[in-house]
Amino acid sequence: MKEEKAIEYFKSGYNCAQAVLTVFADEFGLDEATSLKIAGGYGAGMGRMQNTCGAVTGAFMVIGLKYGKTIGDEGNEKRDMCYAKVREFDSVFKEKFGATSCRDLIQCDLTTPVGQQYFKDNKLGEKVCEQCVRRAVKIVEELL
């Protein structure tokens, strides 16, 4: 269910990070608009810089919402648990896709008009990004 909803967000023009975070938002008291804004700059590897995949950063945000340390939390147990879950996510995602870098996943340069056209012409959003979004949601569901 969440996987399909995330794909709907992505196909509606939201980035991969927005798609992943927003399907979990209500579980953590975030409204849809707020979650979309929070994740707004993380698409295409953070602002189209093609660093860490937006589906991955969206997943890390969800993990932080569940396990992150906050005001009043003594010691580092929550931080350590959060970091462990992030590493676990990273390992499972890399096992499936071989990388977490947007650049490595889509194999084209989104910072140029030529690369953006290549992305569109080769339907990489559908072939690669949707698969990353779908898998990120599934992994997060398993980790929560």
Side-chain angles (χ1 to χ4, degrees):
M1 175 71 172
K2 278 186 172 60
E3 291 174 46
E4 294 309 316
K5 183 68 175 167
I7 297 303
E8 286 178 31
Y9 276 113
F10 186 74
K11 285 183 175 181
S12 296
Y14 296 105
N15 71 45
C16 36
Q18 289 172 307
V20 173
L21 175 62
T22 303
V23 297
F24 291 95
D26 64 335
E27 293 176 39
F28 299 100
L30 285 175
D31 61 84
E32 180 183 49
T34 301
S35 68
L36 290 169
K37 284 185 173 193
I38 288 169
Y42 289 85
M46 296 182 272
R48 204 179 275 146
M49 293 185 294
Q50 293 188 271
N51 294 318
T52 304
C53 167
V56 173
T57 57
F60 290 172
M61 287 182 242
V62 177
I63 292 167
L65 285 167
K66 173 72 174 183
Y67 297 104
K69 183 177 178 173
T70 190
I71 297 166
D73 290 338
E74 296 295 323
N76 294 319
E77 290 176 34
K78 285 214 172 184
R79 182 195 64 201
D80 293 346
M81 170 64 86
C82 185
Y83 289 1
K85 293 290 184 181
V86 164
R87 288 191 306 271
E88 186 176 352
F89 177 96
D90 183 78
S91 176
V92 173
F93 192 91
K94 281 180 179 170
E95 185 178 302
K96 171 73 175 170
F97 297 106
T100 56
S101 159
C102 175
R103 180 174 283 106
D104 292 339
L105 291 164
I106 64 169
Q107 297 290 306
C108 73
D109 185 357
L110 293 177
T111 65
T112 68
V114 171
Q116 291 172 28
Q117 191 61 50
Y118 179 88
F119 180 87
K120 288 177 189 172
D121 291 347
N122 289 281
K123 299 183 180 177
L124 297 178
E126 194 176 305
K127 292 177 182 174
V128 179
C129 301
E130 286 183 23
Q131 300 313 309
C132 291
V133 166
R134 188 179 303 281
R135 186 68 176 136
V137 169
K138 184 175 180 174
I139 297 167
V140 169
E141 286 182 308
E142 292 167 0
L143 291 175
L144 299 184

